[in-house]
Amino acid sequence: RAPSTRARARRRVATHAASGAFDVYVFDLDGVLYDGANGYLAHVRERQRVYLMETHGMTREEAHETRERAFAKASQCYKGFVDMGLIHARQMSQEEFTAYCRNGVELFLRADEALERCVRDMGGERGNVTKKIVMTNTSETEGVKALAALGLNGGCFDKVYGGLFMAPYCKPQREAYERVLADVGAVDVTRAVMFEDSLKNLKTAKALGMRTVFVKTLGEREPSEQERAEFCDAVVDSMNADQLRAQMPELFM
């Protein structure tokens, strides 16, 4: 008989409580720190399609298919478009492209006091010595803008690692994670935890030895029961403190 969720949680607590649980908290941005169904991601994807229609004369159907193919290939539209010869990096930088696609963030994202409390409470009394970072495939500049719109720019996070820092890699490539973890000083990756809405990104984190939290969001496939057991230490509907405490209380120690 498989152990219950509560039993697994108690076992994790016993393992980590004595050592202070985690040193590094790694958060994805899109679909994790805000609801992926709030219209912002749909807006960004539409801007990516509009770029293809205006720059390359594609029909809407062609732009949709090309955008899907680029993202599936590279896990980042800019990188995918460059690889497909649709953007020349010397003519348009990643910073410029993401600024174009993510223009209007303030229309979709709002300050979230409950989320801010949840993030700040992680690490418990050790919160001031733990590292809390954002790791996103978008540019650092656009990541910072999104955090500001969410009211999370007042010291909640130590640093935003984006597509510019990770280049030429991006999530879910192992090299991207290794680069970020090395820079943040994560000597023991088993004392790092990652919050993600993308299972493929979470799989890399788990392969590296990190603890993992899958955050459900619209448009991303949820893990199967087998995948939950293999890749997810917790699965939550959102960054809800009560759900997180119930499944992984050590996050707040």
Side-chain angles (χ1 to χ4, degrees), residues 25-35 38 40 102 104-113 115-116 119-120 132-136 138-162 239:
Y25 294 74
V26 184
F27 299 83
D28 179 38
L29 172 63
D30 298 322
V32 171
L33 296 179
Y34 67 87
D35 182 2
N38 71 358
Y40 180 49
R102 290 178 176 260
V105 61
E106 69 282 353
L107 301 176
F108 298 92
L109 304 187
R110 297 287 184 271
D112 187 336
E113 293 182 1
L115 173 62
E116 181 183 5
V119 173
R120 289 189 185 278
K132 296 171 185 175
I133 64 172
V134 173
M135 182 180 177
T136 173
T138 194
S139 73
E140 286 80 354
T141 299
E142 297 307 312
V144 169
K145 287 180 182 178
L147 293 181
L150 289 165
L152 299 176
N153 57 334
C156 273
F157 297 102
D158 295 281
K159 191 170 182 177
V160 174
Y161 291 92
M239 288 294 295

Side-chain angles (χ1 to χ4, degrees), residues 10-81:
R10 285 198 299 267
R11 187 179 303 164
R12 288 196 297 266
V13 172
T15 302
H16 290 271
S19 59
F22 301 107
D23 297 326
V24 180
Y25 294 74
V26 184
F27 299 83
D28 179 38
L29 172 63
D30 298 322
V32 171
L33 296 179
Y34 67 87
D35 182 2
N38 71 358
Y40 180 49
L41 286 179
H43 166 75
V44 172
R45 290 163 184 157
E46 175 62 11
R47 298 277 289 179
Q48 292 164 346
R49 290 189 288 267
V50 168
Y51 170 83
L52 293 174
M53 289 187 286
E54 292 183 347
T55 306
H56 296 283
M58 294 184 184
T59 65
R60 179 168 292 278
E61 183 178 351
E62 290 170 338
H64 174 80
E65 188 277 332
T66 301
R67 187 255 169 216
E68 294 298 304
R69 189 153 43 94
F71 187 81
K73 177 182 178 182
S75 297
Q76 182 196 79
C77 277
Y78 179 79
K79 189 172 187 295
F81 289 168

